[in-house]
Structure formats: C-alpha cells, structure tokens
Amino acid sequence: MSKHRNLVLVDAIAEKRFASALILVSATFVLFVGSTVEELHATSVFYAALAREMLEAGSFASIFLDERAYLLKPPLTFVTAALSMELFGINGFAATLGTRLSGIAIVLLTYAITARALSPLHGVIAAFVVLSNSTFIQFTTTIRTDAMMSVGMLLVVLGWLNLPKRWANCSLFIGLSFGLLAKGPAALLILPVLIAHRLLVRERKFIEIRAWTAIFLLPPLCWYGILIVQHGWQPLLELTSDFSRASSNPGLSFWNSVALEYFEKPLRRYWPWLPFMIMGAVVSLIGRQRRHQENRIGQWLAAWVGIMLLVGIVKPDHDIRYLYPALPALGGLAALGLMHLFPRLPLLPTSGVLAVVVIGFALSYGINNRHDINREIVCFEEHASSIKALAAVDAMAISLTQPRRQNTHRDWSYFYLGIESRNYTFAEFHRADPYQYLLIGQGSRGRAFLEDSPYTVICETKKMKLARRRVP
C-alpha cells in the first residue's frame, strides 16, 4: 500500500512539472512571437527613448536627477531596458525584453498562486486564461511598467499564501520592493488584497512576519529618499497630479468613460473566458455552498478584482489597463467557473489542449503580421545622415525647460534614429521656416496635410512617415 501511494505521489509531481513546462513553453512562444519585428509607439516608444537616453548618458540616474527630471515612474523598467540595449543593441526587442520576461513570470506565478489556493488544474486553467487575454498580450509585448509591477504584486501574494515558511517572508518583501521600484505606490494596492484574503478565506494558520526580511524594502526607500533630497516634495506633487489627470476620453461623461473602459471593453476583449469568469464569481458569491473553502477563495478573487476596479474608477483617466493587476484573479474565477461545469477534467490532457490552442493563435498572428520594423527602418536610417534638422508635425511642443514627458513623434525619432526632432502643430508648421525633412504620423490628418504640401513621402512604417521637400 505504501509503495502504491508513493508511486501515485511521484506521478502527481511529474504531472505538475509537465504542466508547468507546458505553461512555460506556451508563454515564451506567445510573448516572444514577433518580438524582433514589432514597432513601438506612444507610451512604449517614450519609455524606450528614456532608456536610450540613459544608455547614451552612461548613467542610470541621469533622467531622474537633472533639471528636467522624469519623476512619474521609478527606474526598474528603464534600467532593465537600457541594460538589454547594451547587450542586444538599440531595437524594439531589447527595449521590450524585460517586460516580456515579466509576462512569463506573471503566467507562472498565476499558476503557482491558483494551484496553491485551489488545485493544480485550476492553476493551469488560470495561467492560460491570463496568457490568452488580449489586454495582457497588448501591454506585455511592449515596454510598460504594469508587467514588472504585477510580478512584484504576485510575489507578495505567493509569499502570503505560503506563510509561515521561511522563503515566504522573503517573497513577500522582495515582491513589494520589486513592485515599488517598477511603478511606485501603485504596487501597494496589493496590501488590501491580502487583507481581503485574511477576512474572507479565514485559514486557520499562524502568520508570522519575520522583521529582518523587511530589509528588502531598503532599495525603494533609498530611491525615494534620494528623490526627496534632490527635488524636495516635487515627486509627490507630480504623482498626485498624474493620478488626478483629466480623462483621455474628453468627449465622454465620467460614467460613460467608466462604462467604456471597465464594462464595454472587457465585454469585447475577455472572450472566450468571460462567461466562465462571471460564473465563477456568481457561484462563489451567491451559490448554495458559498461557505465552502473553494468558494471562499472565489470570493477573495472577486474582491481582488473589485479592489482594482474601484481604484480604476476613482482615477479620472479611465483605462482598461488598470485592470491588468486583476487578470490573475480573473483567471482564477474563470477556472472556478469552468471546473464547476466540468469537475472531472484531467490535468495533462487539459494542459495540452490549452497549450496547442494558445500557441496556434499566436502562430497565426505571427504569420499574418506583415510589418517588420527592421526592414522598414532601413530607409529612414539611409536618410538619417542627411538630416540636419527634422520637423515633426502634429506633435505637442515640449520645451527643453520642461520635465520629460511623452511626445510620440520626438520619442520615435530619438529612439529609432537618434535624432531630436523639432515639434510643431499643423498650424505652427505653416508659419515656421521650411524644413527639408518632415516626420508625420500615419493617419487621415497627416495624409490631408501632405496632399497640400510640397513634401513627398520617401519612407514609412506602420506608424510613421518620413517626407522630403520637393525641389522647386
């Protein structure tokens, strides 16, 4: 009997390891397909430009400590990108490498947390729900701060669930430190999630926090201490201003903006898992066995989503991206919903089917993606040596006395070409001295402007066009 039990245990461990390997392979494939050919734009190219500026200045602190200091985000994402560029060159793959690796960590941590709270099969389903979420892919296959912050938050949760194990204390504080260095105080939103777990799940175990592990919080404390010494309370003022900035949907009322970002977009983008997410939440919250431990876990996952949703609603600038830290919880709810319908799903076949489907969709995307920034940028680079001054039209002007802020045209030309463009609105450009070269975005306004101008497009990517003034 004992020998048979040991064999069953070995088989169970082997199954878990194989499922973990499938998740790792699938996440790597999905998050790195097209990683060398995709073009950075908007906030992503701004962050990449900041990393390039770090690299060229030869200092990781340069963009944070001078008179134009960027104080809205901590250094981890930019330092990681700069180090990657040092190794692999200045390109989109290097800029996004840290974020993509963080995405793999998120998927694996989702599995580990859900498997610890529920079961390995729940963990597998939750991991593939996250991996197949379009919002997750959108903000993980680029350079953003959300992914690294979420890694830190999930390390905190994993540590919390495994207390009082010795390594759990380290995971808790290392994760909190990692999150604070990735996106600042937003990482503290994971603390209410821990409180919700304590109140809802009611596990009968002693929670011992070893004080010495708090030493891992020294890096973010030192970082913010340096900023305060250098800039006074300006970092706090800028963070407050950023949190309360106006909505990016100015044509919508407050509640219409909330409905668009947190209800309409998820209704479109969370398929095919949305019905299972809803079912998992409903069964946990109002089901007959809602006091059952599994349903208590579901209530905690729903509270996790609710906390992130509430903060996203309170912030005036609504964005579906603010639900990013709640994606692992949504994956857990989807797993609960699916397992409620099919309670006898086998671990390995389910893992295999999900892996094949997810990899298949990623492969299809890679085949259909016809844009290659490396091929398209060659034309720009051939003309770069001839460009003495580059005008960027339809770009907000930012003077050299203002703090560094996102400016897509300037950021794009600096990251990809190493050229600082002079930025103009359409009206300003008509009054300016003529430029030989002009950078303009793809779009209807740009096309209309070029039709009535003495410029001819000579190079273009998916996002940008380079035009040269015709000789009279």
Side-chain angles (χ1 to χ4, degrees):
M1 181 67 71
S2 176
K3 184 177 180 180
H4 175 72
R5 187 182 297 112
N6 289 337
L7 287 174
V8 171
L9 181 61
V10 170
D11 288 343
I13 293 173
E15 284 188 349
K16 292 177 187 177
R17 289 178 177 174
F18 187 76
S20 301
L22 277 178
I23 293 170
L24 175 60
V25 170
S26 301
T28 303
F29 189 90
V30 170
L31 296 179
F32 278 87
V33 65
S35 59
T36 61
V37 301
E38 293 178 353
E39 180 178 4
L40 301 182
H41 193 61
T43 303
S44 300
V45 80
F46 171 52
Y47 289 169
L50 290 177
R52 176 169 184 162
E53 189 177 346
M54 273 185 176
L55 187 63
E56 295 187 343
S59 169
F60 293 137
S62 59
I63 67 171
F64 302 104
L65 300 180
D66 63 16
E67 63 279 2
R68 297 187 60 232
Y70 180 71
L71 304 175
L72 295 181
K73 298 291 187 294
L76 185 60
T77 302
F78 313 113
V79 170
T80 303
L83 289 172
S84 298
M85 291 180 198
E86 180 71 28
L87 291 173
F88 301 107
I90 298 173
N91 54 64
F93 169 78
T96 62
L97 179 60
T99 309
R100 292 176 192 268
L101 291 174
S102 297
I104 295 174
I106 289 170
V107 175
L108 291 173
L109 285 167
T110 298
Y111 166 74
I113 289 168
T114 314
R116 171 67 179 80
L118 293 165
S119 75
L121 182 54
H122 285 88
V124 166
I125 296 170
F128 279 106
V129 169
V130 172
L131 183 57
S132 58
N133 183 278
S134 64
T135 302
F136 174 76
I137 294 173
Q138 177 185 352
F139 294 109
T140 309
T141 57
T142 183
I143 172 172
R144 298 295 292 249
T145 56
D146 306 89
M148 289 191 181
M149 179 189 71
S150 293
V151 170
M153 296 170 90
L154 292 177
L155 284 172
V156 171
V157 174
L158 185 64
W160 175 264
L161 294 180
N162 285 279
L163 289 173
K165 296 177 182 177
R166 290 184 179 181
W167 65 264
N169 277 268
C170 296
S171 177
L172 201 155
F173 284 104
I174 289 173
L176 194 57
S177 180
F178 197 86
L180 288 169
L181 287 173
K183 199 168 182 172
L188 296 176
L189 289 174
I190 201 60
L191 299 182
V193 173
L194 304 187
I195 295 172
H197 179 270
R198 186 64 172 170
L199 295 175
L200 294 170
V201 179
R202 302 177 187 176
E203 287 184 333
R204 294 182 178 179
K205 67 177 183 178
F206 177 66
I207 296 179
E208 180 185 1
I209 304 294
R210 292 178 170 84
W212 68 267
T213 54
I215 195 173
F216 294 116
L217 291 178
L218 280 178
L221 290 176
C222 290
W223 171 253
Y224 284 104
I226 291 170
L227 289 187
I228 290 173
V229 169
Q230 182 74 16
H231 302 289
W233 295 108
Q234 188 62 28
L236 180 60
L237 295 174
E238 291 200 14
L239 285 172
T240 303
S241 176
D242 183 61
F243 182 85
S244 59
R245 71 174 184 261
S247 171
S248 56
N249 299 311
L252 299 177
S253 68
F254 178 88
W255 290 111
N256 284 338
S257 178
V258 168
L260 173 65
E261 296 293 338
Y262 302 130
F263 294 95
E264 293 180 28
K265 285 188 177 180
L267 281 173
R268 295 197 304 266
R269 303 185 66 174
Y270 286 3
W271 289 89
W273 301 106
L274 183 62
F276 301 110
M277 294 174 185
I278 295 172
M279 179 178 293
V282 170
V283 169
S284 299
L285 293 172
I286 62 175
R288 291 181 179 180
Q289 295 182 329
R290 58 183 179 276
R291 295 186 184 277
H292 189 274
Q293 186 68 4
E294 183 177 287
N295 289 334
R296 289 185 186 276
I297 296 293
Q299 293 162 23
W300 167 57
L301 294 174
W304 183 342
V305 176
I307 290 167
M308 301 304 162
L309 177 60
L310 178 62
V311 173
I313 291 173
V314 170
K315 196 176 188 298
D317 184 22
H318 305 127
D319 193 327
I320 190 176
R321 178 170 54 88
Y322 300 139
L323 295 180
Y324 188 101
L327 290 177
L330 288 167
L333 289 173
L336 282 171
L338 186 63
M339 292 292 289
H340 182 74
L341 290 178
F342 308 102
R344 298 186 181 277
L345 287 174
L347 178 60
L348 288 186
T350 303
S351 305
V353 169
L354 290 174
V356 169
V357 171
V358 169
I359 290 175
F361 275 110
L363 186 61
S364 174
Y365 168 79
I367 293 173
N368 293 326
N369 182 17
R370 302 181 184 279
H371 288 277
D372 183 347
I373 185 62
N374 300 305
R375 184 173 62 247
E376 296 167 342
I377 204 69
V378 169
C379 176
F380 287 79
E381 293 172 340
E382 289 174 349
H383 289 87
S385 59
S386 304
I387 300 176
K388 296 180 180 179
L390 178 64
V393 182
D394 196 19
M396 180 179 66
I398 296 178
S399 74
L400 295 179
T401 61
Q402 290 178 289
R404 293 168 177 83
R405 289 294 183 269
Q406 178 180 333
N407 191 314
T408 298
H409 293 65
R410 175 265 171 202
D411 302 329
W412 192 97
S413 64
Y414 180 70
F415 174 66
Y416 282 110
L417 305 177
I419 298 174
E420 291 260 13
S421 63
R422 177 68 184 274
N423 302 331
Y424 296 94
T425 63
F426 287 112
E428 290 171 340
F429 186 76
H430 286 299
R431 299 192 297 268
D433 294 332
Y435 281 77
Q436 184 181 6
Y437 288 93
L438 169 68
L439 184 70
I440 194 166
Q442 298 276 15
S444 56
R445 294 185 69 191
R447 286 194 298 270
F449 175 83
L450 289 172
E451 288 175 358
D452 300 326
S453 74
Y455 287 89
T456 301
V457 175
I458 55 175
C459 305
E460 60 183 308
T461 68
K462 185 179 180 180
K463 300 292 185 181
M464 291 292 178
K465 295 178 182 179
L466 180 67
R468 183 169 54 195
R469 190 178 182 87
R470 293 190 292 270
V471 178

